[in-house]
Amino acid sequence: RAVKPGAGSRDGPAKTASTNTNANANTNANANANAADHGPDPNSDHDHDHGVVTEDNPTAATSGNAGDEPTVFVLEFSGDTTASQVRVLRKAVTLILKVAKAGQDEVIILVESRGGTVDGYGLAASQLARLRDARLPLTICIDKIATSGGYMMAAVANQIVAAPFSYIGSIGVMASMVNANKAITKLGLEALELRSGTAKNTLSLFGAVTPAGVEIQQRQLDRVHHAFRSHISRLRPHLNMDQVADGNVWLGSDALPLGLVDVVETSDEHLGRLVEAGRRVVMIKEKTERDNVFQRILARTTRRGPRDLTVPNPSKSGAYNGYDGVSDAHATRGGGGGGGLGGAPWVMALLELALGQGWAKRMAHYEYE
C-alpha cells in the first residue's frame, strides 16, 4: 500500500483529475446539493425498526443500534461512452443524501471507465460534487481504469485509491469522423448542405473539408480541454497541469508520485481494512431484472407490497468480496413482515433441490431501485 505524503486526506481539499474526452469541465455541478435529511429525525413519527428505506422513511438505514455507527456507503460506476449509468448514479446519490450523516458517514465509489462524451461525464462528475457539497467524505477506488471522463469523475473525490496496474489520466479531448466527400464526388454525386451561421457544422460526413472548418473545430476542442484542465486544477491544485494534462496515461503506481492518485492499493484491500476496523459498510446497486426462472418464481411468491430498499439488521453480517461484516442493502418486492424465503418455504426447498446447497448465498447481491 503506497500513499503519497501529504495527499489523500479524506477530510482535506478534494483532489481530482479530470475526465474523458469532452470534459464538460464545468462539472462542478454543485448540482443542487439538496441533501435533504443527512441523519435520522428524532421527532419523526415513523417506526424505523423495520429498516425499510423509502421516501417517507429515508433514515431507516441508520436507525436502531446502528444509528450512532459511522456508515460507509459503496457504489459502483462502470461507465460506457455516454456515461449512461449516471441515471442510476443520480438516484443513488439522492438516496445517500437523505440517509447519511454529514461529518460522520462517508461514500466510496468503485469507478471503471475509459471516458466518453463531455456532457455525459460532466453530469456524472456533477453528481459526485453533490456528495462533497454535503460534507460527505468521498473516496474513488480504481481497480482497472479511470481515464478521460473516468478521471474527471475521480478528481471530484477527497481521496483517489488506485490499483498498481490500473490506467489513470488521459486528460485530453478528441474528436474523429469519416468524411466521404471525395468518394461521392467520384460517383458523380454532390452533397448539398444548407447552414445558417459560419461556425455551424463546419465538418460533416459528406461536405467538403476546408481549412476554415478544421480551424473552428480545433478551437472548440481547445476550449473543452481548457475547461477540463481547469476542472482538474481546481480540485487537485498540487498537480503540474502542463505535465499531466497532455492526454498521456499512467499506471496507478506511476500516477502516485505525479499526484494523480493518493493511495496505491486495490479496492479489496481498502474495503477490507474498513471492515476489519469495525466500520459498517453498505453497498448499493441498481435492481436488475431476474432472467432465471427460479428467481422469477421466487419474486412472484414474495411480492407483497411496493419495492423498497431494505437494510437488514446490522448485527447480521453479509459479505462483500469475501469480507465478513458488510451489510446488504437490496431492493425487495415485499415491504417487510414475512417477505423473503420465510414466506414461501416450498420455494426454498425447490430452489435448494434445483440449484444445490448454498444457492441463496451465491445469489446474494446488493441492489438499488
Side-chain angles (χ1 to χ4, degrees):
R1 178 172 184 256
V3 181
K4 183 174 178 59
S9 171
R10 64 185 182 89
D11 297 321
K15 304 174 176 181
T16 89
S18 57
T19 102
N20 173 2
T21 72
N22 337 338
N24 233 349
N26 307 343
T27 102
N28 317 356
N30 301 328
N32 16 331
N34 359 354
D37 298 302
H38 298 301
D41 181 3
N43 300 317
S44 174
D45 294 328
H46 294 290
D47 178 8
H48 301 311
D49 291 339
H50 50 70
V52 178
V53 180
T54 65
E55 292 182 359
D56 295 329
N57 182 19
T59 59
T62 57
S63 64
N65 296 332
D68 298 327
E69 182 181 352
T71 300
V72 179
F73 295 94
V74 181
L75 304 174
E76 288 182 326
F77 186 94
S78 181
D80 53 19
T81 56
T82 61
S84 60
Q85 199 182 0
V86 73
R87 175 187 62 83
V88 178
L89 178 64
R90 67 200 311 174
K91 293 180 181 179
V93 168
T94 298
L95 174 66
I96 291 174
L97 291 177
K98 290 182 178 180
V99 173
K101 293 182 179 179
Q104 174 176 309
D105 299 334
E106 63 178 295
V107 181
I108 295 176
I109 301 183
L110 313 179
V111 172
E112 180 179 335
S113 174
R114 300 175 182 273
T117 61
V118 173
D119 55 331
Y121 280 91
L123 178 58
S126 298
Q127 295 301 320
L128 301 189
R130 297 170 61 196
L131 297 171
R132 288 194 50 126
D133 292 343
R135 296 186 298 111
L136 289 172
L138 175 62
T139 297
I140 297 292
C141 289
I142 306 163
D143 284 331
K144 292 184 177 180
I145 186 169
T147 55
S148 197
Y151 190 68
M152 176 184 277
M153 294 178 62
V156 181
N158 300 89
Q159 177 178 239
I160 301 177
V161 177
F165 288 92
S166 60
Y167 284 122
I168 307 294
S170 188
I171 304 173
V173 184
M174 64 162 286
S176 62
M177 64 172 293
V178 173
N179 181 269
N181 180 263
K182 293 181 179 180
I184 64 172
T185 299
K186 288 183 178 180
L187 295 175
L189 303 175
E190 181 180 0
L192 177 62
E193 294 182 338
L194 303 178
R195 295 192 293 267
S196 177
T198 57
K200 181 67 176 180
N201 196 32
T202 56
L203 295 180
S204 64
L205 177 61
F206 297 113
V209 177
T210 64
V214 172
E215 182 182 359
I216 290 174
Q217 290 296 321
Q218 184 61 55
R219 286 203 302 265
Q220 291 179 347
L221 291 182
D222 291 341
R223 285 197 297 270
V224 174
H225 188 217
H226 177 74
F228 194 177
R229 286 173 55 111
S230 298
H231 168 79
I232 302 295
S233 178
R234 178 180 59 82
L235 294 168
R236 299 184 75 83
H238 61 283
L239 287 175
N240 181 342
M241 295 307 298
D242 291 334
Q243 182 181 17
V244 302
D246 60 355
N248 206 347
V249 176
W250 291 268
L251 293 176
S253 55
D254 296 328
L256 180 65
L258 294 173
L260 290 169
V261 302
D262 305 305
V263 179
V264 174
E265 65 179 358
T266 65
S267 64
D268 306 283
E269 294 171 307
H270 189 74
L271 289 171
R273 197 165 44 255
L274 291 174
V275 172
E276 291 172 359
R279 300 296 297 275
R280 182 177 183 235
V281 179
V282 176
M283 173 168 266
I284 302 176
K285 275 191 176 181
E286 181 185 24
K287 185 175 180 64
T288 56
E289 286 297 323
R290 298 178 174 87
D291 54 4
N292 181 290
V293 61
F294 297 107
Q295 291 176 311
R296 290 199 296 269
I297 294 174
L298 178 63
R300 293 192 186 98
T301 58
T302 59
R303 184 179 301 156
R304 300 189 177 189
R307 299 180 183 180
D308 296 321
L309 182 71
T310 63
V311 179
N313 189 319
S315 63
K316 299 179 181 179
S317 62
Y320 170 72
N321 284 350
Y323 300 127
D324 293 333
V326 179
S327 302
D328 298 32
H330 60 92
T332 65
R333 294 181 182 271
L341 293 179
W346 66 272
V347 176
M348 181 177 69
L350 175 62
L351 291 175
E352 288 285 1
L353 180 62
L355 303 179
Q357 295 294 323
W359 67 271
K361 184 174 182 181
R362 294 197 301 273
M363 289 167 52
H365 56 294
Y366 306 90
E367 299 176 338
Y368 166 80
E369 178 174 65

